[in-house]
Coordinates of all heavy atoms in Angstrom, one line a residue:
M251 N 8.7 -123.3 97.1 CA 10.1 -122.7 96.9 C 10.2 -121.4 97.7 O 11.3 -121.1 98.2 CB 10.3 -122.4 95.4 CG 11.7 -122.0 95.1 SD 12.9 -123.3 95.5 CE 14.4 -122.4 95.1
G252 N 9.1 -120.7 98.0 CA 9.1 -119.5 98.7 C 9.6 -119.7 100.2 O 10.4 -118.8 100.7
I253 N 9.2 -120.7 100.8 CA 9.6 -120.9 102.2 C 11.1 -121.3 102.3 O 11.8 -120.9 103.2 CB 8.7 -121.9 103.0 CG1 8.9 -121.9 104.5 CG2 8.9 -123.3 102.4 CD1 8.4 -120.7 105.1
I254 N 11.5 -122.0 101.3 CA 13.0 -122.4 101.3 C 13.8 -121.2 101.1 O 14.8 -121.0 101.8 CB 13.2 -123.5 100.2 CG1 12.5 -124.8 100.6 CG2 14.7 -123.7 100.0 CD1 12.5 -125.8 99.5
W255 N 13.4 -120.3 100.2 CA 14.1 -119.1 100.0 C 14.1 -118.2 101.3 O 15.1 -117.6 101.6 CB 13.5 -118.3 98.8 CG 14.3 -117.1 98.4 CD1 13.9 -115.8 98.5 CD2 15.6 -117.1 97.9 NE1 14.9 -115.0 98.1 CE2 16.0 -115.7 97.7 CE3 16.6 -118.0 97.6 CZ2 17.2 -115.3 97.2 CZ3 17.8 -117.6 97.1 CH2 18.1 -116.3 96.9
T256 N 13.0 -118.2 102.0 CA 12.9 -117.4 103.2 C 13.9 -118.0 104.3 O 14.5 -117.2 105.0 CB 11.5 -117.4 103.7 OG1 10.6 -116.8 102.8 CG2 11.3 -116.6 105.0
I257 N 14.0 -119.3 104.3 CA 14.9 -119.9 105.3 C 16.3 -119.6 104.9 O 17.1 -119.2 105.8 CB 14.7 -121.4 105.3 CG1 13.3 -121.7 106.0 CG2 15.8 -122.1 106.1 CD1 12.9 -123.1 105.9
I258 N 16.7 -119.6 103.7 CA 18.1 -119.3 103.3 C 18.4 -117.8 103.6 O 19.4 -117.5 104.2 CB 18.3 -119.6 101.8 CG1 18.2 -121.1 101.5 CG2 19.6 -119.0 101.3 CD1 18.1 -121.5 100.1
I259 N 17.5 -116.9 103.2 CA 17.6 -115.5 103.6 C 17.7 -115.3 105.1 O 18.5 -114.5 105.6 CB 16.5 -114.6 102.9 CG1 16.6 -114.6 101.4 CG2 16.5 -113.2 103.5 CD1 17.8 -114.0 100.9
G260 N 16.9 -116.0 105.8 CA 16.9 -115.9 107.3 C 18.2 -116.4 107.9 O 18.7 -115.8 108.8
F261 N 18.8 -117.4 107.3 CA 20.1 -117.9 107.8 C 21.1 -116.8 107.6 O 21.9 -116.5 108.5 CB 20.5 -119.2 107.0 CG 21.9 -119.7 107.3 CD1 22.1 -120.3 108.5 CD2 22.9 -119.5 106.4 CE1 23.4 -120.7 108.8 CE2 24.2 -119.9 106.7 CZ 24.4 -120.5 107.9
L262 N 21.1 -116.2 106.4 CA 22.1 -115.2 106.2 C 21.8 -113.9 107.1 O 22.7 -113.3 107.6 CB 22.1 -114.8 104.7 CG 22.6 -115.9 103.8 CD1 22.3 -115.4 102.3 CD2 24.0 -116.3 104.0
A263 N 20.5 -113.6 107.3 CA 20.2 -112.5 108.1 C 20.6 -112.7 109.6 O 21.0 -111.8 110.3 CB 18.7 -112.2 108.0
G264 N 20.5 -114.0 110.0 CA 20.9 -114.3 111.4 C 22.4 -114.1 111.6 O 22.8 -113.6 112.6
I265 N 23.2 -114.4 110.6 CA 24.6 -114.2 110.6 C 24.9 -112.7 110.7 O 25.7 -112.3 111.5 CB 25.3 -114.9 109.4 CG1 25.2 -116.4 109.6 CG2 26.8 -114.5 109.4 CD1 25.6 -117.2 108.3
V266 N 24.2 -111.9 109.8 CA 24.4 -110.5 109.8 C 24.0 -109.9 111.2 O 24.6 -109.0 111.7 CB 23.7 -109.8 108.6 CG1 23.7 -108.3 108.7 CG2 24.3 -110.3 107.3
A267 N 22.8 -110.4 111.7 CA 22.3 -109.8 113.0 C 23.3 -110.1 114.1 O 23.5 -109.3 115.0 CB 21.0 -110.5 113.3
K268 N 24.0 -111.3 114.0 CA 25.0 -111.6 115.1 C 26.1 -110.6 115.0 O 26.6 -110.2 116.1 CB 25.5 -113.0 114.9 CG 26.6 -113.4 115.8 CD 26.1 -113.5 117.2 CE 27.2 -114.0 118.1 NZ 26.9 -113.7 119.5
F269 N 26.5 -110.2 113.8 CA 27.6 -109.2 113.7 C 27.2 -107.8 114.1 O 28.0 -107.0 114.6 CB 28.2 -109.3 112.3 CG 29.0 -110.5 112.0 CD1 28.7 -111.4 111.0 CD2 30.2 -110.8 112.8 CE1 29.4 -112.5 110.8 CE2 30.9 -111.9 112.5 CZ 30.5 -112.8 111.5
L270 N 25.9 -107.5 113.8 CA 25.4 -106.2 114.2 C 25.1 -106.0 115.7 O 25.2 -104.9 116.2 CB 24.1 -105.9 113.4 CG 24.2 -105.7 111.9 CD1 22.8 -105.5 111.3 CD2 25.0 -104.5 111.6
M271 N 24.8 -107.1 116.3 CA 24.6 -107.1 117.8 C 25.6 -108.0 118.5 O 25.2 -109.1 118.9 CB 23.2 -107.6 118.1 CG 22.1 -106.7 117.6 SD 20.5 -107.2 118.1 CE 20.5 -107.0 119.8
P272 N 26.9 -107.6 118.5 CA 27.8 -108.5 119.2 C 27.6 -108.6 120.6 O 26.9 -107.9 121.2 CB 29.2 -107.8 118.9 CG 28.8 -106.3 118.7 CD 27.4 -106.3 118.1
G273 N 28.2 -109.6 121.2 CA 28.0 -109.9 122.6 C 27.7 -111.4 122.8 O 27.7 -112.1 121.9
R274 N 27.6 -111.7 124.1 CA 27.3 -113.1 124.5 C 25.9 -113.3 124.3 O 25.1 -112.7 125.0 CB 27.8 -113.3 125.9 CG 29.3 -113.1 126.0 CD 29.8 -113.6 127.3 NE 29.6 -115.1 127.2 CZ 30.1 -115.9 128.0 NH1 30.9 -115.5 128.9 NH2 29.8 -117.2 127.9
D275 N 25.5 -114.3 123.5 CA 24.2 -114.7 123.4 C 24.0 -116.0 124.3 O 24.8 -116.8 124.3 CB 23.8 -115.1 122.0 CG 23.7 -113.9 121.1 OD1 23.2 -112.9 121.6 OD2 24.0 -114.0 119.9
P276 N 22.8 -116.1 124.9 CA 22.6 -117.2 125.8 C 22.6 -118.5 125.0 O 22.8 -119.6 125.5 CB 21.2 -116.9 126.3 CG 21.0 -115.5 126.2 CD 21.8 -115.0 125.0
G277 N 22.3 -118.5 123.7 CA 22.2 -119.7 122.9 C 23.4 -120.0 122.0 O 23.5 -121.1 121.4
G278 N 24.2 -119.0 121.7 CA 25.3 -119.2 120.8 C 24.9 -119.0 119.3 O 23.9 -118.5 119.0
F279 N 25.8 -119.4 118.4 CA 25.7 -119.2 117.0 C 24.4 -119.9 116.4 O 23.7 -119.3 115.6 CB 26.9 -119.6 116.3 CG 26.9 -119.4 114.8 CD1 27.1 -118.2 114.3 CD2 26.7 -120.5 114.0 CE1 27.0 -118.0 112.9 CE2 26.6 -120.3 112.6 CZ 26.8 -119.1 112.1
I280 N 24.2 -121.1 116.8 CA 23.1 -121.9 116.2 C 21.7 -121.2 116.6 O 20.9 -121.1 115.7 CB 23.1 -123.3 116.7 CG1 24.4 -124.0 116.3 CG2 21.9 -124.1 116.2 CD1 24.6 -124.2 114.8
I281 N 21.6 -120.8 117.8 CA 20.3 -120.2 118.2 C 20.2 -118.9 117.5 O 19.1 -118.5 117.1 CB 20.3 -120.0 119.8 CG1 20.3 -121.3 120.5 CG2 19.1 -119.1 120.2 CD1 19.0 -122.2 120.2
T282 N 21.3 -118.1 117.4 CA 21.2 -116.8 116.6 C 20.8 -117.0 115.2 O 20.0 -116.3 114.6 CB 22.6 -116.1 116.7 OG1 23.0 -116.0 118.0 CG2 22.5 -114.8 116.0
T283 N 21.3 -118.1 114.6 CA 20.9 -118.4 113.2 C 19.4 -118.8 113.1 O 18.7 -118.3 112.2 CB 21.8 -119.5 112.6 OG1 23.2 -119.2 112.8 CG2 21.5 -119.8 111.2
L284 N 19.0 -119.6 114.0 CA 17.6 -120.0 114.1 C 16.7 -118.8 114.3 O 15.6 -118.6 113.7 CB 17.3 -121.0 115.1 CG 17.9 -122.4 114.8 CD1 17.7 -123.3 116.1 CD2 17.3 -123.0 113.6
L285 N 17.1 -117.8 115.1 CA 16.4 -116.6 115.4 C 16.3 -115.8 114.1 O 15.4 -115.0 113.8 CB 17.0 -115.8 116.5 CG 16.8 -116.5 117.9 CD1 17.5 -115.7 119.0 CD2 15.3 -116.6 118.2
G286 N 17.4 -115.8 113.3 CA 17.4 -115.1 112.0 C 16.4 -115.7 111.1 O 15.7 -114.9 110.4
I287 N 16.3 -117.0 111.1 CA 15.2 -117.6 110.2 C 13.9 -117.2 110.7 O 13.0 -116.8 109.9 CB 15.4 -119.1 110.2 CG1 16.7 -119.5 109.5 CG2 14.3 -119.8 109.5 CD1 17.2 -120.9 109.7
I288 N 13.6 -117.2 112.0 CA 12.4 -116.8 112.6 C 12.1 -115.3 112.2 O 11.0 -114.9 111.8 CB 12.3 -117.0 114.1 CG1 12.3 -118.5 114.4 CG2 11.1 -116.4 114.7 CD1 12.6 -118.9 115.8
G289 N 13.1 -114.5 112.3 CA 13.0 -113.1 112.0 C 12.6 -112.9 110.5 O 11.8 -112.0 110.2
A290 N 13.2 -113.6 109.6 CA 12.8 -113.5 108.2 C 11.4 -114.0 107.9 O 10.7 -113.3 107.2 CB 13.8 -114.4 107.4
V291 N 11.0 -115.0 108.6 CA 9.6 -115.5 108.4 C 8.6 -114.5 109.0 O 7.6 -114.1 108.4 CB 9.4 -116.9 109.1 CG1 7.9 -117.3 109.2 CG2 10.2 -117.9 108.4
V292 N 8.9 -113.9 110.2 CA 8.1 -112.9 110.8 C 8.0 -111.6 109.9 O 7.0 -111.1 109.6 CB 8.6 -112.5 112.2 CG1 7.9 -111.2 112.7 CG2 8.3 -113.7 113.1
A293 N 9.2 -111.2 109.3 CA 9.2 -110.0 108.4 C 8.4 -110.3 107.2 O 7.8 -109.4 106.7 CB 10.7 -109.7 108.1
T294 N 8.5 -111.5 106.7 CA 7.7 -111.9 105.5 C 6.2 -111.7 105.7 O 5.5 -111.1 105.0 CB 8.0 -113.3 105.0 OG1 9.4 -113.3 104.6 CG2 7.2 -113.7 103.8
Y295 N 5.7 -112.3 106.8 CA 4.3 -112.3 107.1 C 3.8 -111.0 107.5 O 2.7 -110.6 107.2 CB 3.9 -113.4 108.1 CG 4.1 -114.8 107.5 CD1 5.0 -115.7 107.9 CD2 3.2 -115.2 106.4 CE1 5.2 -116.9 107.3 CE2 3.4 -116.4 105.8 CZ 4.3 -117.3 106.2 OH 4.5 -118.5 105.6
L296 N 4.6 -110.2 108.3 CA 4.2 -108.9 108.7 C 4.2 -108.0 107.5 O 3.3 -107.1 107.3 CB 5.1 -108.3 109.8 CG 4.9 -108.9 111.2 CD1 6.0 -108.3 112.1 CD2 3.5 -108.6 111.7
G297 N 5.2 -108.1 106.6 CA 5.2 -107.3 105.4 C 4.0 -107.6 104.5 O 3.5 -106.7 103.8
Q298 N 3.6 -108.9 104.4 CA 2.4 -109.2 103.6 C 1.2 -108.7 104.3 O 0.3 -108.2 103.6 CB 2.3 -110.7 103.5 CG 3.4 -111.3 102.5 CD 3.3 -112.8 102.5 OE1 2.5 -113.5 103.1 NE2 4.2 -113.4 101.7
A299 N 1.1 -108.7 105.6 CA -0.1 -108.1 106.3 C -0.2 -106.6 106.1 O -1.3 -106.1 106.0 CB 0.0 -108.5 107.8
V300 N 0.9 -105.9 106.1 CA 0.9 -104.5 106.0 C 0.7 -104.1 104.5 O 0.2 -103.0 104.2 CB 2.2 -103.9 106.6 CG1 2.3 -102.4 106.3 CG2 2.3 -104.2 108.0
G301 N 1.1 -105.0 103.6 CA 0.9 -104.7 102.2 C 2.2 -104.3 101.5 O 2.2 -103.9 100.3
W302 N 3.4 -104.5 102.2 CA 4.7 -104.2 101.5 C 5.0 -105.3 100.5 O 5.7 -105.0 99.5 CB 5.8 -104.1 102.6 CG 5.6 -103.0 103.5 CD1 4.9 -101.8 103.3 CD2 6.2 -102.8 104.7 NE1 5.0 -101.0 104.3 CE2 5.8 -101.5 105.2 CE3 7.0 -103.6 105.5 CZ2 6.2 -101.1 106.5 CZ3 7.5 -103.1 106.7 CH2 7.1 -101.9 107.2
Y303 N 4.6 -106.5 100.8 CA 4.9 -107.7 99.9 C 3.6 -108.3 99.4 O 2.6 -108.3 100.2 CB 5.7 -108.7 100.6 CG 6.9 -108.2 101.3 CD1 7.1 -108.3 102.6 CD2 8.0 -107.6 100.5 CE1 8.2 -107.8 103.3 CE2 9.1 -107.1 101.2 CZ 9.2 -107.2 102.5 OH 10.3 -106.8 103.2
R304 N 3.6 -108.9 98.2 CA 2.4 -109.6 97.8 C 2.4 -111.0 98.3 O 3.4 -111.5 98.9 CB 2.4 -109.7 96.2 CG 2.2 -108.4 95.6 CD 2.1 -108.6 94.1 NE 3.2 -109.4 93.6 CZ 4.2 -108.9 92.9 NH1 4.3 -107.6 92.6 NH2 5.2 -109.7 92.4
A305 N 1.3 -111.7 98.2 CA 1.2 -113.1 98.7 C 2.2 -113.9 97.9 O 2.3 -113.8 96.7 CB -0.2 -113.6 98.5
G306 N 3.0 -114.7 98.6 CA 4.0 -115.6 98.0 C 5.3 -114.9 97.8 O 6.3 -115.5 97.4
E307 N 5.4 -113.6 98.1 CA 6.6 -112.8 98.0 C 7.3 -112.7 99.3 O 6.6 -112.3 100.3 CB 6.3 -111.5 97.4 CG 7.5 -110.6 97.1 CD 7.1 -109.3 96.5 OE1 6.3 -108.6 97.1 OE2 7.6 -108.9 95.5
G308 N 8.5 -113.1 99.4 CA 9.2 -113.1 100.7 C 9.8 -111.7 101.0 O 9.9 -110.8 100.2
A309 N 10.2 -111.5 102.3 CA 10.9 -110.3 102.7 C 12.2 -110.2 102.0 O 12.9 -111.2 101.8 CB 11.0 -110.3 104.2
G310 N 12.6 -109.0 101.7 CA 13.9 -108.7 101.2 C 15.0 -109.0 102.3 O 14.7 -109.2 103.5
F311 N 16.2 -108.9 101.9 CA 17.3 -109.2 102.8 C 17.3 -108.2 103.9 O 17.5 -108.5 105.1 CB 18.6 -109.2 102.0 CG 19.8 -109.6 102.9 CD1 19.9 -110.9 103.3 CD2 20.7 -108.6 103.3 CE1 21.0 -111.2 104.2 CE2 21.8 -109.0 104.1 CZ 21.9 -110.3 104.5
I312 N 17.1 -106.9 103.6 CA 17.2 -105.9 104.7 C 16.0 -106.1 105.6 O 16.2 -106.0 106.8 CB 17.1 -104.5 104.0 CG1 18.3 -104.3 103.1 CG2 17.0 -103.4 105.1 CD1 19.1 -103.1 103.1
G313 N 14.8 -106.4 105.1 CA 13.7 -106.7 106.0 C 14.0 -107.9 106.9 O 13.6 -107.9 108.1
A314 N 14.6 -108.9 106.3 CA 14.9 -110.1 107.1 C 15.9 -109.8 108.2 O 15.8 -110.3 109.3 CB 15.4 -111.2 106.2
V315 N 16.9 -108.9 107.9 CA 17.9 -108.5 108.9 C 17.3 -107.7 110.0 O 17.5 -108.0 111.2 CB 19.1 -107.7 108.2 CG1 20.0 -107.1 109.3 CG2 19.9 -108.7 107.3
V316 N 16.4 -106.8 109.6 CA 15.7 -106.0 110.7 C 14.9 -106.9 111.5 O 14.9 -106.8 112.8 CB 14.8 -104.9 110.0 CG1 13.9 -104.3 111.0 CG2 15.7 -103.9 109.4
G317 N 14.1 -107.9 110.9 CA 13.4 -108.8 111.7 C 14.2 -109.7 112.6 O 13.9 -110.0 113.8
A318 N 15.4 -110.1 112.1 CA 16.3 -110.9 112.9 C 16.9 -110.2 114.1 O 17.0 -110.7 115.2 CB 17.4 -111.5 112.0
V319 N 17.2 -108.9 113.9 CA 17.7 -108.1 115.0 C 16.7 -107.9 116.0 O 17.0 -108.0 117.2 CB 18.3 -106.7 114.4 CG1 18.5 -105.7 115.5 CG2 19.5 -106.9 113.6
I320 N 15.4 -107.6 115.6 CA 14.4 -107.5 116.6 C 14.1 -108.7 117.4 O 14.0 -108.7 118.6 CB 13.1 -107.0 115.9 CG1 13.3 -105.6 115.4 CG2 11.9 -107.1 116.8 CD1 12.2 -105.1 114.4
V321 N 14.1 -109.9 116.7 CA 13.8 -111.2 117.4 C 15.0 -111.5 118.3 O 14.8 -111.9 119.4 CB 13.6 -112.3 116.4 CG1 13.6 -113.6 117.0 CG2 12.3 -112.1 115.6
L322 N 16.3 -111.2 117.9 CA 17.4 -111.4 118.7 C 17.4 -110.5 119.9 O 17.7 -111.0 121.0 CB 18.7 -111.2 117.9 CG 20.0 -111.4 118.6 CD1 20.1 -112.8 119.1 CD2 21.2 -111.1 117.7
F323 N 17.0 -109.3 119.8 CA 16.9 -108.4 120.9 C 15.9 -108.9 121.9 O 16.2 -108.9 123.1 CB 16.5 -107.0 120.4 CG 16.3 -106.0 121.5 CD1 17.4 -105.4 122.2 CD2 15.1 -105.6 121.9 CE1 17.3 -104.5 123.2 CE2 14.9 -104.7 123.0 CZ 16.0 -104.2 123.6
V324 N 14.7 -109.3 121.5 CA 13.7 -109.8 122.4 C 14.2 -111.1 123.0 O 14.0 -111.3 124.2 CB 12.4 -110.0 121.6 CG1 11.3 -110.8 122.4 CG2 11.8 -108.7 121.1
Y325 N 14.8 -111.9 122.3 CA 15.4 -113.2 122.9 C 16.4 -112.9 124.0 O 16.4 -113.5 125.0 CB 16.0 -114.0 121.8 CG 16.6 -115.3 122.3 CD1 15.9 -116.4 122.7 CD2 18.0 -115.4 122.4 CE1 16.5 -117.5 123.2 CE2 18.6 -116.5 122.9 CZ 17.8 -117.6 123.3 OH 18.4 -118.7 123.8
R326 N 17.3 -111.9 123.7 CA 18.3 -111.6 124.8 C 17.6 -111.0 126.0 O 18.0 -111.3 127.1 CB 19.2 -110.6 124.2 CG 20.3 -111.1 123.3 CD 21.3 -110.1 122.9 NE 22.3 -110.6 122.0 CZ 23.2 -109.9 121.5 NH1 23.3 -108.6 121.8 NH2 24.1 -110.4 120.7
M327 N 16.5 -110.3 125.8 CA 15.8 -109.7 127.0 C 15.2 -110.8 127.8 O 15.2 -110.9 129.0 CB 14.8 -108.7 126.6 CG 15.4 -107.5 125.9 SD 16.6 -106.6 126.8 CE 15.5 -105.8 128.0
V328 N 14.5 -111.8 127.1 CA 13.8 -112.9 127.8 C 14.8 -113.9 128.4 O 14.7 -114.2 129.6 CB 12.8 -113.6 126.8 CG1 12.3 -114.8 127.4 CG2 11.7 -112.6 126.4
A329 N 15.8 -114.3 127.6 CA 16.8 -115.3 128.1 C 17.7 -114.7 129.2 O 18.1 -115.4 130.1 CB 17.6 -115.8 126.9
G330 N 18.0 -113.4 129.1 CA 18.8 -112.7 130.1 C 18.2 -112.7 131.4 O 18.8 -112.8 132.5
R331 N 16.9 -112.6 131.5 CA 16.2 -112.6 132.8 C 16.1 -114.0 133.4 O 16.2 -114.1 134.6 CB 14.7 -112.1 132.6 CG 14.6 -110.7 132.3 CD 13.2 -110.3 132.3 NE 13.1 -108.9 131.8 CZ 12.0 -108.4 131.2 NH1 11.0 -109.2 130.9 NH2 12.0 -107.2 130.7
R332 N 16.1 -115.0 132.6 CA 16.1 -116.4 133.1 C 17.4 -116.8 133.7 O 17.4 -117.6 134.7 CB 15.7 -117.3 132.0 CG 14.3 -117.3 131.7 CD 13.9 -118.4 130.7 NE 12.9 -118.0 129.8 CZ 12.6 -118.7 128.8 NH1 13.3 -119.7 128.4 NH2 11.6 -118.2 128.0
T333 N 18.5 -116.3 133.2 CA 19.8 -116.8 133.7 C 20.2 -116.0 134.9 O 21.2 -116.5 135.6 CB 20.9 -116.6 132.6 OG1 20.9 -115.2 132.2 CG2 20.6 -117.4 131.4
V334 N 19.6 -115.0 135.3 CA 20.0 -114.2 136.5 C 19.5 -114.8 137.7 O 18.6 -115.5 137.9 CB 19.5 -112.7 136.4 CG1 19.8 -112.0 137.7 CG2 20.2 -112.1 135.2

């Protein structure tokens, strides 16, 4: 159930990250949402590695949004270079 909850939080975090970082994304809304899910998963595992979360405990919504914004930023940097 933990991974399903992380995916749901990641979906919502991807939507929030899209609103926090407006602009043209190389992949559009679907890619932004998937990056939000990846950001939530990354935030969960990094938080567990650092000791912020216990094993089996997912990242909170704010942590997922921060992870999604970071992943979206990196994606824009990488994808922006390819399209030029």
Side-chain angles (χ1 to χ4, degrees):
M251 185 67 181
I253 193 72
I254 293 172
W255 187 246
T256 301
I257 290 171
I258 292 169
I259 293 295
F261 173 75
L262 296 173
I265 293 170
V266 171
K268 176 65 177 165
F269 287 118
L270 291 176
M271 294 184 66
R274 298 192 63 165
D275 287 327
F279 179 77
I280 300 296
I281 296 297
T282 303
T283 304
L284 290 174
L285 291 175
I287 294 170
I288 293 168
V291 170
V292 168
T294 296
Y295 289 113
L296 285 178
Q298 289 175 359
V300 173
W302 293 341
Y303 310 116
R304 292 186 310 253
E307 184 179 52
F311 185 70
I312 301 222
V315 169
V316 170
V319 167
I320 291 170
V321 170
L322 181 60
F323 177 76
V324 170
Y325 175 74
R326 283 185 180 179
M327 297 304 285
V328 170
R331 289 187 189 150
R332 286 189 211 164
T333 58
V334 173

